[in-house]
Amino acid sequence: MSLRVKIASAAGEMASIASRSLKIGNGDAIGGRTALFIDGDILKVLGRNVKTVLVSGTNGKTTTNRIVYEVISKNLDSKCAYNSNGANMEAGIAYSLINSKNATYGTFEVDELYFEKIGYELNPTAVVLTNLSRDQLDRSNEVRRIAASWERFFGRNSELCVVANCQDPLIVYSLRKSKNVTWVNPGFSWYLDAKSCLICNSQIIFSNDEWACSGCDFKMPNAQIKVANKVIEIDGIKQVEVDLQIPGRCNVGNFAFSLGLAVMLGIDIEKAKDAAEGVSDVAGRYEVFSMDEVEFKFRLLLAKNPAGWQEALSMVEDSSMPVVVALNAQVADGKDPSWIYDVSFEELKNRHVICCGQRARDMGVRLYYAGLAHEVVHDFSLALKSKRLHEEVAKVAEKTGLKLSDVTVDIIANYTSFQAFRTLLGKSVSLNGK
Amino acid sequence: MEKLVIVDVYPDLLGTYGDGGNAEILKFRSQLRGYDVEIIRSDSTEPLVKNGDIYLLGGGEDAPQRLAKELLEKSGALSSALESGAVVLGVCAGYQILGESYVSNGNIESGLGLIEVSTSRKSSTRHVGEIIAKSPVLNGYLLTGYENHASETYLGKSVKPLGSVIKGSGNFTKYEGSNNFSEGVIYKTVVGTYLHGPVLARNPKFADYILEMKLGRLESIDDTEIEALRDERLSIVLNSSGAQSFGHHIGSFLTARKV
């Protein structure tokens, strides 16, 4: 290791410690930024000694990366670096590498817009691609711009091992020159950003869980790994029954990607499954909290974009229990929340909905036009203390014969509002795994 | 009128920026006035309905925009509906293709030519951010929305702008000696705008203006909740000063304090 890298690493660690002790942040990004400032090539240099897996896509990066981390670190008898805090640009990944000396493996979630750049720098051993859909369009402008940058990268790295979603034409396009792909059919249902062919611009026809272009031979590749409810089929022969602690059909899909990677790395399928089933929450997602002076509990769900909301709404129990929805529009959320009109909030009918966050009023108007009973309380803490929320919970509990202590109210939040709730509720008690 | 038919044109191609909400808003607001309303979401894989009353075209990415234009040209349903008096509202990509030319992946393409506007790309600036425009057609009403586009649009002599930009870029061209950029277009029953939000969610008077072209004068309804959203957006965006990026910064600071 050169002196420059040593100094950069040490400075990064100091900046990170300072940031944490001053309670500015978790210190990952600032630590990495400091190191990168001193040595712009630090990612390349530190990455040389580590076999890296990169996980990218619009949704499911953090969860898939976490499962991959569990699978690798529990089975490959080696230290594995990973960006657990979701800092998924250059700085966050650099800091994870600085912070995990002697790691022989590293698994990192990577922001989809930065994937091409980070990919060239880290020269990964394997890549997992989950999906691409509309998200933060003020920043990315077009989803297809991301697919084009991925296609450039994989065109120059056509031998690279990739585990990828065959249901997503944008991903299949980006891998059209790749020779070493394990295709996974994760059972996702969003395809609205890929209705015109990326090769000839004719219509792509989707039917019966398959798709094909109407104008050229671009079509869905055959999946080696396929999700059918809670069972994952491998090569059409082996069936793996999954019993994850984390909810939602999307997470069975995310596990299927990890399984593809496990097979690629020569890890036993049953052991990979055991590692995945041990995960109960991922950086606050699905975490259940209790709050002082509140008898019932709260569960946190993250939903950043229409595809994510579609999945999150499917996790909300079918009842009349109130739901809290939170909407911010910071840089990390995307500054234009027009996309809330792509989400079928109508599914929340017959319940009281509390809207909070910076853009609570936008959400309120969305629900007004959906004909839902709702109230707007900008402040996160006041939203959870809303009198109406407590009255409604008590009413529903009484009607259904539930004890208040057995009631869990879902909070669905987009990125920065989710982080705000984590901080707020983190002061209370997390009940996962207890 | 027996039933108001609202056609959401190719939401699978022109529905990327949340503009599909405009159809729901028109439905809600006309139902509240006692009208029977139907929304037809007409995907690109099906033939476009010919007998609609209001046609809505939203924003989309370059390649899907081009496909939508080609399909519309082939189908002819939109121009024949327009001849029968239908109202057309185009947003962003959907607005651009109504004109004589637009830009797709860097190439100038011919549009549907339904209105005398042309879109080209002289600068590499992408216009992304909150926008406010004052609309003379709506008696000075302030339109609030979010824009995200790369081209500039020129208005011909036969058409009028929908508004005059106070914040943001809009058409990014000036109309008849005005010092401000113009925003959008109106020509007979065709209306175009760069505003997302969706535009009709944040501007109920504009929604009613579109409906009234078909339904005649409408009684006013209680818009308290929407007005509160408008006040919030307008005050945050108008109070942000100077260049757009700086304006964004202040805007987020102000809202952050509210939370």
Side-chain angles (χ1 to χ4, degrees):
Chain A
M1 197 186 276
S2 74
L3 186 62
R4 194 188 176 96
V5 173
K6 280 184 185 158
I7 293 171
S9 304
E13 280 184 307
M14 267 152 60
S16 174
I17 290 166
S19 164
R20 274 195 304 272
S21 47
L22 294 169
K23 296 198 166 62
I24 297 169
N26 62 40
D28 290 15
I30 184 78
R33 273 204 293 274
T34 308
L36 279 164
F37 179 73
I38 296 170
D39 185 348
D41 282 334
I42 197 160
L43 204 55
K44 210 183 278 177
V45 177
L46 293 178
R48 243 176 242 155
N49 308 320
V50 181
K51 287 182 191 149
T52 51
V53 176
L54 302 184
V55 179
S56 197
T58 307
N59 289 322
K61 288 186 286 285
T62 307
T63 304
T64 305
N65 190 42
R66 168 69 188 279
I67 300 175
V68 167
Y69 168 76
E70 295 291 335
V71 169
I72 291 179
S73 61
K74 292 218 164 76
N75 290 293
L76 284 179
D77 200 25
S78 75
K79 192 169 171 192
C80 183
Y82 96 119
N83 48 349
S84 58
N85 279 320
N88 60 16
M89 298 186 202
E90 267 182 301
I93 296 169
Y95 185 73
S96 312
L97 282 165
I98 292 168
N99 204 22
S100 314
K101 292 186 185 76
N102 310 321
T104 46
Y105 273 90
T107 178
F108 306 110
E109 62 162 291
V110 183
D111 180 275
E112 24 332 347
L113 273 171
Y114 284 80
F115 177 82
E116 187 188 10
K117 184 167 193 285
I118 290 171
Y120 293 133
E121 287 182 357
L122 277 180
N123 191 20
T125 303
V127 173
V128 177
L129 302 177
T130 58
N131 53 69
L132 276 179
S133 70
R134 59 191 69 169
D135 183 44
Q136 301 174 56
L137 289 170
D138 58 318
R139 193 162 74 93
S140 65
N141 303 330
E142 295 200 343
V143 187
R144 279 162 198 247
R145 220 183 101 200
I146 301 170
S149 80
W150 287 12
E151 199 266 345
R152 256 192 321 266
F153 173 81
F154 289 106
R156 289 174 198 166
N157 291 278
S158 58
E159 305 289 335
L160 188 56
C161 292
V162 187
V163 181
N165 180 352
C166 68
Q167 278 187 307
D168 188 333
L170 296 165
I171 285 183
V172 176
Y173 167 78
S174 72
L175 295 172
R176 63 188 175 143
K177 294 180 190 129
S178 292
K179 295 175 187 138
N180 205 349
V181 184
T182 299
W183 291 111
V184 176
N185 184 332
F188 295 160
S189 52
W190 185 273
Y191 53 82
L192 274 175
D193 295 300
K195 281 293 286 282
S196 83
C197 177
L198 289 103
I199 294 166
C200 75
N201 208 30
S202 304
Q203 285 148 301
I204 292 182
I205 312 293
F206 292 79
S207 70
N208 298 328
D209 195 27
E210 280 186 10
W211 57 264
C213 174
S214 56
C216 71
D217 59 3
F218 185 51
K219 62 170 188 177
M220 184 167 108
N222 289 327
Q224 285 104 304
I225 295 178
K226 190 174 177 357
V227 173
N229 293 320
K230 288 197 157 185
V231 176
I232 298 176
E233 269 180 27
I234 302 177
D235 291 328
I237 323 162
K238 188 162 174 54
Q239 298 213 327
V240 182
E241 252 183 72
V242 200
D243 190 15
L244 298 175
Q245 290 186 61
I246 47 177
R249 58 190 171 177
C250 61
N251 285 323
V252 182
N254 291 336
F255 171 58
F257 292 119
S258 321
L259 210 54
L261 187 82
V263 172
M264 217 173 234
L265 295 174
I267 296 168
D268 179 72
I269 290 170
E270 288 304 317
K271 285 185 176 157
K273 179 175 118 91
D274 287 347
E277 287 178 350
V279 177
S280 63
D281 72 271
V282 181
R285 295 152 178 79
Y286 324 111
E287 203 162 349
V288 177
F289 295 94
S290 76
M291 213 181 158
D292 279 347
E293 295 165 37
V294 179
E295 270 188 85
F296 53 87
K297 291 168 284 193
F298 294 101
R299 179 174 70 154
L300 255 181
L301 299 173
L302 173 72
K304 301 182 289 189
N305 46 49
W309 272 91
Q310 189 172 299
E311 293 300 334
L313 287 175
S314 77
M315 294 180 205
V316 174
E317 231 177 283
D318 187 18
S319 76
S320 46
M321 201 55 83
V323 171
V324 180
V325 295
L327 183 68
N328 273 359
Q330 309 270 16
V331 175
D333 302 305
K335 291 190 159 229
D336 176 15
S338 298
W339 56 266
I340 56 177
Y341 285 82
D342 289 339
V343 180
S344 56
F345 287 101
E346 287 77 3
E347 286 175 35
L348 295 177
K349 65 177 187 294
N350 302 326
R351 28 174 135 218
H352 183 67
V353 184
I354 319 275
C355 309
C356 55
Q358 227 178 13
R359 302 301 288 267
R361 286 204 193 284
D362 293 74
M363 187 60 94
V365 169
R366 168 73 187 92
L367 300 186
Y368 167 77
Y369 277 122
L372 300 192
H374 64 280
E375 69 184 301
V376 170
V377 187
H378 282 91
D379 185 276
F380 295 117
S381 170
L382 293 179
L384 299 190
K385 288 175 189 153
S386 144
K387 196 172 158 226
R388 182 80 194 277
L389 169 69
H390 290 251
E391 284 168 5
E392 288 288 327
V393 169
K395 205 158 69 183
V396 179
E398 196 187 313
K399 209 188 285 173
T400 50
L402 274 174
K403 275 195 287 182
L404 268 184
S405 55
D406 290 334
V407 169
T408 304
V409 169
D410 282 321
I411 303 171
I412 315 179
N414 72 336
Y415 191 72
T416 64
S417 58
F418 177 88
Q419 302 305 348
F421 268 120
R422 263 189 94 188
T423 312
L424 179 72
L425 289 168
K427 291 170 195 147
S428 340
V429 187
S430 164
L431 301 166
N432 279 51
K434 293 188 185 126
Chain B
M1 174 167 289
E2 218 170 89
K3 187 174 21 170
L4 184 74
V5 177
I6 300 168
V7 185
D8 188 8
V9 180
Y10 304 155
D12 53 339
L13 301 175
L14 298 173
T16 313
Y17 297 83
D19 305 309
N22 288 330
E24 294 296 336
I25 289 149
L26 291 179
K27 181 181 177 186
F28 186 95
R29 298 184 72 80
S30 42
Q31 268 179 341
L32 220 54
R33 272 81 170 232
Y35 288 92
D36 194 8
V37 193
E38 185 189 0
I39 295 177
I40 300 177
R41 304 250 180 222
S42 197
D43 267 355
S44 66
T45 41
E46 294 150 24
L48 187 65
V49 188
K50 284 199 170 77
N51 58 349
D53 296 302
I54 300 176
Y55 287 77
L56 302 172
L57 294 81
E61 305 193 343
D62 274 22
Q65 175 190 27
R66 197 169 77 240
L67 178 57
K69 183 250 153 185
E70 287 164 7
L71 293 170
L72 283 171
E73 206 159 47
K74 220 183 285 173
S75 133
L78 188 67
S79 42
S80 76
L82 199 55
E83 274 165 31
S84 325
V87 173
V88 177
L89 171 65
V91 178
C92 200
Y95 160 34
Q96 292 173 346
I97 58 173
L98 297 175
E100 288 157 355
S101 69
Y102 69 101
V103 184
S104 177
N105 292 325
N107 305 313
I108 294 263
E109 305 272 343
S110 63
L112 295 168
L114 300 175
I115 42 173
E116 197 195 344
V117 306
S118 57
T119 298
S120 56
R121 197 169 297 173
K122 293 222 170 74
S123 72
S124 58
T125 329
R126 194 172 170 100
H127 311 284
V128 184
E130 291 279 346
I131 170 169
I132 294 177
K134 191 171 184 169
S135 178
V137 209
L138 298 165
N139 302 320
Y141 187 66
L142 294 180
L143 295 165
T144 144
Y146 197 93
E147 61 183 331
N148 188 353
H149 59 102
S151 306
E152 54 270 351
T153 298
Y154 295 83
L155 306 188
K157 291 260 180 275
S158 65
V159 302
K160 288 227 160 354
L162 173 66
S164 163
V165 173
I166 292 174
K167 288 269 170 174
S169 301
N171 292 330
F172 205 54
T173 60
K174 288 171 183 171
Y175 182 80
E176 277 182 8
S178 161
N179 288 326
N180 295 354
F181 293 131
S182 65
E183 164 23 53
V185 72
I186 292 200
Y187 174 71
K188 294 183 180 169
T189 56
V190 182
V191 185
T193 177
Y194 273 113
L195 273 61
H196 303 291
V199 63
L200 302 184
R202 272 157 73 162
N203 304 286
K205 279 215 168 65
F206 183 38
D208 285 353
Y209 175 83
I210 299 285
L211 287 174
E212 284 179 344
M213 283 201 252
K214 237 28 240 187
L215 303 176
R217 188 99 188 104
L218 294 169
E219 64 192 91
S220 62
I221 49 179
D222 179 10
D223 281 328
T224 313
E225 177 150 18
I226 304 158
E227 289 304 327
L229 168 65
R230 282 178 62 74
D231 290 348
E232 187 181 278
R233 294 321 308 153
L234 288 170
S235 76
I236 286 167
V237 181
L238 286 173
N239 291 332
S240 67
S241 60
Q244 213 176 42
S245 58
F246 183 59
H248 276 302
H249 186 70
I250 299 286
S252 61
F253 171 71
L254 284 175
T255 37
R257 281 212 316 187
K258 280 197 170 172
V259 169

